[in-house]
């Protein structure tokens, strides 16, 4: 069991706003909240990276964006170019979605190469700008078997990524009758991911984390980053 202060749990949160209708005022509000509570980062769609990077300058809060989001079904070349543009615009952290279809088909060479090219793009562009860029790999665990999750974690590690991440929060898994199933992070998946990557990589739990109790459960399971749009609620109730 891990015991944390409010500030400590806040420092692990990626304060997130990825809704398609988020306007400038919404994004700036999230930035203000992240600065106030000293969250790890603000995670936004790439169209908002320049705005967020400028707003967060000197605050200690990182600018994070998503690549290949939310489906992961883009070409590797597209993801690589999207990464380069985002880093040039000010992103310091990249959360990329894997080729989920390839993972479900067991085509892990494709999965690993997809990740590797994004990592390469992030690191090369970061080096040009004299900054370190982290890459987090979104597996979309609700759509994968445990075996596939393990293999995708291994692919991420082999490709040089910094983190593996559970979910986008946008997936729509269904049972055999067409009923929607949970699509976010689970303790089981976080434990499995941590066991697979060991201590060399980070594990980010994301999707459906709306309370301090859930956040702490994920941290106890092995997560060292929490993706949520409920960061303020979590720290204020902690």
């Amino acid at each position: 069991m891990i015991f944390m202060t409010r500030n400590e749990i806040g420092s692990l949160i990626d304060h997130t706003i990825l809704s398609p209708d988020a306007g400038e005022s919404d994004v700036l509000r999230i930035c203000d909240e992240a600065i106030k509570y000293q969250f790890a980062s603000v995670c936004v769609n790439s169209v908002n990276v320049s705005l967020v990077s400028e707003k967060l300058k000197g605050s200690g809060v990182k600018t994070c964006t998503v690549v290949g989001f939310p489906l992961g079904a883009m070409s590797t070349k597209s993801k690589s170019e999207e990464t380069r543009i985002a880093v040039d615009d000010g992103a310091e952290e990249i959360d990329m979605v894997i080729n989920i279809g390839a993972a479900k088909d067991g085509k892990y060479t494709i999965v690993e190469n997809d990740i590797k090219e994004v990592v390469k793009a992030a690191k090369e562009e970061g080096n040009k700008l004299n900054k370190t860029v982290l890459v987090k790999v979104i597996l979309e665990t609700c759509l994968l078997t445990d075996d596939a999750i393990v293999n995708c974690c291994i692919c991420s590690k082999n490709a040089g990524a910094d983190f593996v991440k559970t979910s986008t929060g946008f997936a729509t898994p269904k049972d055999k009758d067409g009923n929607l199933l949970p699509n976010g992070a689970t303790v089981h998946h976080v434990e499995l991911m941590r066991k697979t990557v060991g201590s060399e990589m980070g594990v980010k739990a994301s999707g459906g984390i709306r309370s301090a109790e859930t956040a702490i459960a994920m941290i106890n399971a092995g997560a060292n980053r929490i993706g949520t749009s409920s960061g303020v609620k979590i720290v204020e109730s902690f």
Side-chain angles (χ1 to χ4, degrees), residues 151-169:
N151 278 297
C152 289
C153 284
I154 293 170
C155 288
S156 302
K157 195 170 186 178
N158 290 343
D162 302 287
F163 276 75
V164 285
K165 174 179 170 181
T166 59
S167 321
T168 65

Side-chain angles (χ1 to χ4, degrees), residues 6-16 30-31 33-44 52 56 59-65 90-95 132 134 136 163 203-204 224-228 231-232 235:
R6 173 185 285 191
N7 289 342
E8 286 171 337
I9 194 170
S11 71
L12 303 183
I13 289 175
D14 287 347
H15 201 32
T16 304
I30 292 293
C31 290
E33 291 170 351
I35 293 168
K36 177 180 178 180
Y37 294 101
Q38 281 297 286
F39 292 141
S41 80
V42 169
C43 186
V44 293
V52 170
L56 296 178
S59 70
V61 181
K62 302 294 186 183
T63 300
C64 176
T65 194
E92 298 160 283
E93 302 191 355
I94 301 291
D95 288 18
T132 300
L134 296 183
K136 309 187 203 98
F163 276 75
V203 174
K204 177 174 174 179
N224 58 331
R225 195 71 74 91
I226 301 293
T228 180
V232 173
V235 296

Side-chain angles (χ1 to χ4, degrees), residues 115-209:
I115 300 167
K116 188 177 295 182
E117 289 302 310
V118 169
V119 170
K120 178 182 177 183
K123 304 304 182 184
E124 286 182 351
E125 293 304 307
N127 287 339
K128 289 179 185 177
L129 298 168
N130 196 30
K131 65 179 180 180
T132 300
V133 179
L134 296 183
V135 176
K136 309 187 203 98
V137 179
I138 307 174
L139 307 186
E140 204 68 282
T141 48
C142 65
L143 299 179
L144 301 176
T145 65
D146 282 5
D147 283 346
I149 290 168
V150 167
N151 278 297
C152 289
C153 284
I154 293 170
C155 288
S156 302
K157 195 170 186 178
N158 290 343
D162 302 287
F163 276 75
V164 285
K165 174 179 170 181
T166 59
S167 321
T168 65
F170 284 75
T172 54
K174 298 178 182 179
D175 64 19
K176 59 182 178 61
D177 297 318
N179 300 307
L180 286 173
L181 297 170
N183 68 351
T186 69
V187 165
H188 168 69
H189 286 150
V190 170
E191 289 176 338
L192 180 63
M193 292 161 71
R194 174 54 70 196
K195 180 180 178 181
T196 304
V197 302
S199 60
E200 296 88 30
M201 293 181 70
V203 174
K204 177 174 174 179
S206 182
I209 302 172

Side-chain angles (χ1 to χ4, degrees), residues 9 28 73 97 108 212:
I9 194 170
L28 292 176
V97 187
Y108 297 114

Side-chain angles (χ1 to χ4, degrees), residues 14-98:
D14 287 347
H15 201 32
T16 304
I17 182 165
L18 295 170
S19 55
D21 60 341
E24 182 173 312
S25 62
D26 300 311
V27 174
L28 292 176
R29 172 180 53 81
I30 292 293
C31 290
D32 286 335
E33 291 170 351
I35 293 168
K36 177 180 178 180
Y37 294 101
Q38 281 297 286
F39 292 141
S41 80
V42 169
C43 186
V44 293
N45 288 302
S46 59
V47 70
N48 292 311
V49 166
S50 295
L51 173 68
V52 170
S53 178
E54 183 62 30
K55 176 68 175 179
L56 296 178
K57 190 174 294 183
S59 70
V61 181
K62 302 294 186 183
T63 300
C64 176
T65 194
V66 288
V67 163
F69 189 87
L71 303 177
M74 299 75 173
S75 70
T76 298
K77 185 175 181 180
S78 296
K79 292 179 186 178
S80 177
E81 187 62 20
E82 186 179 8
T83 299
R84 292 183 186 278
I85 293 169
V87 173
D88 288 345
D89 284 347
E92 298 160 283
E93 302 191 355
I94 301 291
D95 288 18
M96 68 156 291
V97 187
I98 65 166

Side-chain angles (χ1 to χ4, degrees), residues 97-109:
V97 187
I98 65 166
N99 184 330
I100 301 166
K104 289 175 70 70
D105 286 341
K107 296 179 178 179
Y108 297 114
T109 299

